[in-house]
Amino acid sequence: MNIYDVSRKAGVSIATVSRVLNGSPNVSERTRTLVLEVMDELGYTPNVFARGLGLGTIQTIGIMCSDSSDPYLAHAIYYLEQGLRSHGYDSILCCTGRSLETKQKYFDLLRSKKVDAIILAGSKFVEPKPRDNDYILEAARELPIMLVNGWLEGENIYSTLCDDRMATHNAAGKMIASGCRSLLYLYTSQSYSGAGKLQGYKDALGGYGLPVREEYIHQCPKDILAARDLLLHLHREGLPFDGVLASDDTLAVGAVKYAHAAGKSIPDDLSIIGYNNSNYAICTDPELTSIDSKIEALCTTTINTLMGVFNGGNVPSRTTIAADLIKRATTKF
Amino acid sequence: MNIYDVSRKAGVSIATVSRVLNGSPNVSERTRTLVLEVMDELGYTPNVFARGLGLGTIQTIGIMCSDSSDPYLAHAIYYLEQGLRSHGYDSILCCTGRSLETKQKYFDLLRSKKVDAIILAGSKFVEPKPRDNDYILEAARELPIMLVNGWLEGENIYSTLCDDRMATHNAAGKMIASGCRSLLYLYTSQSYSGAGKLQGYKDALGGYGLPVREEYIHQCPKDILAARDLLLHLHREGLPFDGVLASDDTLAVGAVKYAHAAGKSIPDDLSIIGYNNSNYAICTDPELTSIDSKIEALCTTTINTLMGVFNGGNVPSRTTIAADLIKRATTKF
């Protein structure tokens, strides 16, 4: 029993049956009633697979993220699901972890389900080696690939990005202007987004004629206590620093805890800026100045772009959104 | 025509019909024959439960949550998706918000997709008025309904719960034993889980012969600053309190911020215990003692129970998991 049986018995095209299934308005009431009666008579129940058998669309988008429990990605998934739902699309969620092999496996799985598009949420999906991204380019021949804060060049691939480089340039610049001279940069990953953030930090130093010193740039796991302990270690090693710019609020919370543990006053002895303006920024005393990376706008724009693609519109392959700096109490400005 | 009709007509439970459909050995030959005869008589064609008969399913589970960006629910979704994936199931995610009407709409949507089961993540899905839950009971005639930390009695409905009442009883008892005499209870919602937590607090007071005073029990939005401001307000009003037990870490972080703002020393002047043992608990100085509500175990057990249902096993309709108390620096014990 499948859609072909329904179409034959009702004497209408498969496309018409599909339109009925998808609630399209472009079907007469009479035809709709006929098709529904035939389905009832045949005991046909449409399901995701049946609707995927080459008849338009299953109205389902695959969302891939490395870890849906990360606060940034959790918000992304929330906004993406809500946005897709408002356009009548279901979301199939895949939490992939970080390994390339697993990502590819889930990617293939989503393709085999005939989803209408795949959204890659977060900057962890584009690998530094171009060859490692071939599977994405290949899939884009069949369905649109949407990147939320990631960037990959290719046909039928659409990126919506936060202007991370400008955001850290601006933030680091304000810290320097307010008196910081030894500004540490802490980061979690070397993704496209991560590279932009680091470059913004370097741009700001350059703009003030300050040297870029490798001993002031440190990678750290996305973990509050790991960041605190890294700073305590640098402090004990005798590295002087009066500011911390972090690529994630988690690390900035660690910097606040470091200051408390080391008896440093915030912001007089140490200025701190986080990234993502998550709820973590409000947990600490003093509360964190943080960069609002506009995750809701990124997701809304991603969905709007995708709907533009579905409707055959001429949509941009790359959209960049400016971040905001939310000033609280860990900075002097 | 559905499995419920078959169960009623044959005078056996839905679980037994399910076992027959799945070819489980735990059914007597006589019962098996009876059920098959009734199905034949009623013209019943099994669908969702018919995995063992090779009729296939869409291998997709609907996951409903009120808000996937809430840290507790974000973790739940992560563990559920991973667990389902490991059994070869896709997850369709629905973020429903709080209104009953929207929840029902999404519920119907998932049913129309012929998902194999629906998981309701979080305690917000069971309404206080029994009639408002009829749509869930009705759906359970067609497919298993799994509740993560919610409880609703009914056939083909399975609950996995944290023992919230025992958890707050234990936590409040330890606070009282360590010297607290005026213990505030802050909570966010009056769900089944919420009611259990509140009762545990009252149990502890009763156990120590202390009175339950309504002015020490306050509802508060799940918001750090709202909780801080509520406590500042109670403090200004002259209500004496030396302990705060909160139904969510968010409120407990607010209590830490209140103590800082009011110049109270933690834990000497004020003891604080949060709930969920989220990352928020590590953000504050001092770090929060918090109840670990075992969300990973709740999700793993939910998935195992669901697989048991699919395989026609004799699974419990209700499983309760004990919480842990994670001691950090906001308590004297």
Side-chain angles (χ1 to χ4, degrees):
Chain A
M1 185 67 53
N2 60 38
I3 192 160
Y4 299 98
D5 301 316
V6 175
S7 123
R8 198 164 38 210
K9 176 107 184 172
V12 301
S13 70
I14 286 174
T16 299
V17 179
S18 171
R19 276 195 284 274
V20 171
L21 289 175
N22 289 305
S24 161
N26 303 322
V27 186
S28 75
E29 204 41 51
R30 213 187 127 206
T31 304
R32 186 187 312 280
T33 308
L34 171 65
V35 169
L36 290 173
E37 278 172 4
V38 167
M39 282 187 202
D40 193 42
E41 197 181 325
L42 294 178
Y44 171 73
T45 42
N47 64 35
V48 175
F49 283 170
R51 288 204 276 151
L53 293 173
L55 37 104
T57 138
I58 65 167
Q59 297 284 112
T60 300
I61 309 295
I63 300 178
M64 288 177 61
C65 73
S66 55
D67 177 358
S68 65
S69 69
D70 174 86
Y72 177 82
L73 294 176
H75 279 85
I77 288 162
Y78 177 74
Y79 293 125
L80 290 171
E81 194 277 340
Q82 296 270 295
L84 289 169
R85 182 74 60 203
S86 75
H87 286 94
Y89 284 82
D90 288 334
S91 303
I92 291 184
L93 177 66
C94 286
C95 304
T96 64
R98 295 285 171 85
S99 96
L100 177 60
E101 197 187 350
T102 317
K103 288 179 202 164
Q104 287 179 330
K105 200 186 86 188
Y106 287 150
F107 208 85
D108 290 344
L109 189 89
L110 285 173
R111 288 179 67 189
S112 76
K113 307 280 178 198
K114 305 283 179 198
V115 294
D116 298 303
I118 295 177
I119 300 177
L120 305 177
S123 57
K124 302 293 186 305
F125 287 97
V126 179
E127 299 289 333
K129 287 187 199 163
R131 184 176 300 175
D132 288 341
N133 298 313
D134 282 351
Y135 75 104
I136 301 177
L137 295 169
E138 195 214 313
R141 295 177 191 169
E142 288 183 8
L143 79 177
I145 308 291
M146 314 302 294
L147 276 67
V148 180
N149 216 29
W151 183 62
L152 182 65
E153 193 162 11
E155 216 165 338
N156 213 23
I157 300 177
Y158 303 88
S159 293
T160 307
L161 296 147
C162 175
D163 194 342
D164 296 308
R165 179 172 174 174
M166 183 62 80
T168 51
H169 184 163
N170 174 37
K174 282 197 156 57
M175 288 173 101
I176 296 166
S178 70
C180 287
R181 281 301 168 268
S182 305
L183 184 54
L184 272 177
Y185 181 71
L186 301 186
Y187 68 99
T188 58
S189 74
Q190 290 173 314
S191 60
Y192 181 83
S193 162
K197 292 176 186 174
L198 175 57
Q199 193 54 52
Y201 161 79
K202 292 179 176 174
D203 292 347
L205 293 177
Y208 280 87
L210 298 171
V212 172
R213 291 170 293 184
E214 288 307 317
E215 66 269 32
Y216 279 83
I217 300 173
H218 291 273
Q219 188 165 16
C220 179
K222 194 184 278 191
D223 180 276
I224 293 167
L225 302 183
R228 179 198 62 186
D229 293 345
L230 170 63
L231 294 177
L232 282 168
H233 171 77
L234 296 174
H235 177 65
R236 278 193 300 265
E237 296 264 297
L239 187 78
F241 55 90
D242 55 10
V244 174
L245 175 60
S247 74
D248 189 274
D249 282 339
T250 312
L251 305 187
V253 170
V256 172
K257 295 179 81 77
Y258 152 75
H260 292 168
K264 302 265 180 194
S265 167
I266 303 171
D268 291 335
D269 301 334
L270 187 70
S271 296
I272 303 167
I273 297 185
Y275 210 107
N276 286 337
N277 194 34
S278 64
N279 268 332
Y280 292 145
I282 308 167
C283 286
T284 56
D285 279 311
E287 289 168 21
L288 278 172
T289 296
S290 183
I291 293 164
D292 179 350
S293 49
K294 298 287 177 190
I295 182 63
E296 182 172 5
L298 286 183
C299 292
T300 307
T301 303
T302 298
I303 303 297
N304 288 340
T305 303
L306 178 58
M307 295 305 138
V309 172
F310 285 156
N311 293 323
N314 187 7
V315 300
S317 65
R318 185 184 160 113
T319 308
T320 303
I321 290 173
D324 268 352
L325 184 61
I326 309 298
K327 295 172 196 173
R328 295 199 184 85
T330 56
T331 44
K332 288 182 221 164
F333 54 82
Chain B
M1 185 63 54
N2 58 42
I3 194 167
Y4 183 79
D5 300 314
V6 175
S7 112
R8 197 166 39 199
K9 175 106 182 171
V12 301
S13 70
I14 287 180
T16 299
V17 179
S18 172
R19 279 194 282 274
V20 170
L21 290 174
N22 288 301
S24 160
N26 302 324
V27 187
S28 74
E29 203 42 51
R30 213 186 128 204
T31 304
R32 186 188 314 281
T33 308
L34 171 65
V35 169
L36 291 172
E37 278 173 4
V38 168
M39 288 196 317
D40 192 44
E41 196 181 325
L42 295 177
Y44 172 71
T45 320
N47 49 33
V48 178
F49 293 90
R51 303 169 75 240
L53 299 182
L55 295 177
T57 81
I58 66 167
Q59 296 284 113
T60 300
I61 310 296
I63 300 178
M64 288 178 62
C65 72
S66 55
D67 176 358
S68 65
S69 70
D70 174 85
Y72 178 82
L73 295 175
H75 279 86
I77 289 163
Y78 177 74
Y79 294 124
L80 290 170
E81 195 278 340
Q82 297 270 295
L84 290 169
R85 182 74 60 205
S86 75
H87 286 94
Y89 284 82
D90 287 334
S91 304
I92 291 184
L93 178 66
C94 286
C95 303
T96 62
R98 294 285 172 85
S99 95
L100 177 61
E101 197 187 350
T102 317
K103 288 180 203 164
Q104 287 179 330
K105 201 186 87 189
Y106 287 151
F107 208 84
D108 290 344
L109 189 90
L110 285 173
R111 288 179 67 187
S112 75
K113 307 280 177 194
K114 303 286 177 195
V115 294
D116 299 303
I118 294 178
I119 299 177
L120 305 177
S123 57
K124 302 293 186 304
F125 286 98
V126 179
E127 300 289 334
K129 287 186 200 165
R131 185 176 297 175
D132 288 342
N133 298 313
D134 282 351
Y135 74 104
I136 301 178
L137 295 169
E138 193 214 314
R141 295 176 189 176
E142 289 184 6
L143 79 177
I145 308 292
M146 314 301 294
L147 275 67
V148 180
N149 215 29
W151 183 62
L152 182 65
E153 193 161 9
E155 215 167 340
N156 214 22
I157 299 178
Y158 303 88
S159 293
T160 308
L161 296 146
C162 176
D163 194 341
D164 295 309
R165 179 172 173 175
M166 184 62 79
T168 51
H169 184 163
N170 174 38
K174 282 195 156 57
M175 289 173 100
I176 296 166
S178 72
C180 287
R181 280 302 168 267
S182 306
L183 185 53
L184 272 177
Y185 181 71
L186 302 185
Y187 68 100
T188 58
S189 74
Q190 289 172 315
S191 59
Y192 181 82
S193 161
K197 292 177 186 174
L198 175 57
Q199 193 54 51
Y201 161 78
K202 291 179 177 175
D203 293 346
L205 293 178
Y208 280 89
L210 297 171
V212 173
R213 291 170 295 183
E214 287 308 316
E215 65 268 32
Y216 279 84
I217 300 172
H218 290 274
Q219 188 164 18
C220 179
K222 196 185 276 191
D223 181 276
I224 293 167
L225 301 183
R228 179 198 63 187
D229 293 345
L230 169 63
L231 295 177
L232 282 168
H233 170 76
L234 295 174
H235 177 64
R236 278 194 301 266
E237 296 264 299
L239 186 79
F241 56 92
D242 56 10
V244 174
L245 174 60
S247 74
D248 189 275
D249 282 338
T250 312
L251 305 188
V253 170
V256 172
K257 296 179 81 75
Y258 153 76
H260 292 168
K264 302 266 179 195
S265 167
I266 303 170
D268 290 335
D269 302 334
L270 187 71
S271 296
I272 304 167
I273 297 185
Y275 211 105
N276 287 336
N277 194 34
S278 64
N279 269 332
Y280 291 144
I282 307 167
C283 287
T284 55
D285 279 311
E287 291 167 19
L288 277 172
T289 295
S290 183
I291 293 164
D292 179 349
S293 49
K294 298 287 177 189
I295 182 63
E296 182 171 3
L298 286 182
C299 293
T300 306
T301 303
T302 299
I303 303 297
N304 288 340
T305 303
L306 178 59
M307 295 306 138
V309 172
F310 285 156
N311 293 322
N314 188 5
V315 300
S317 65
R318 185 184 161 113
T319 308
T320 303
I321 291 173
D324 268 351
L325 184 62
I326 309 298
K327 295 172 194 172
R328 294 200 185 84
T330 56
T331 42
K332 288 182 221 163
F333 53 83

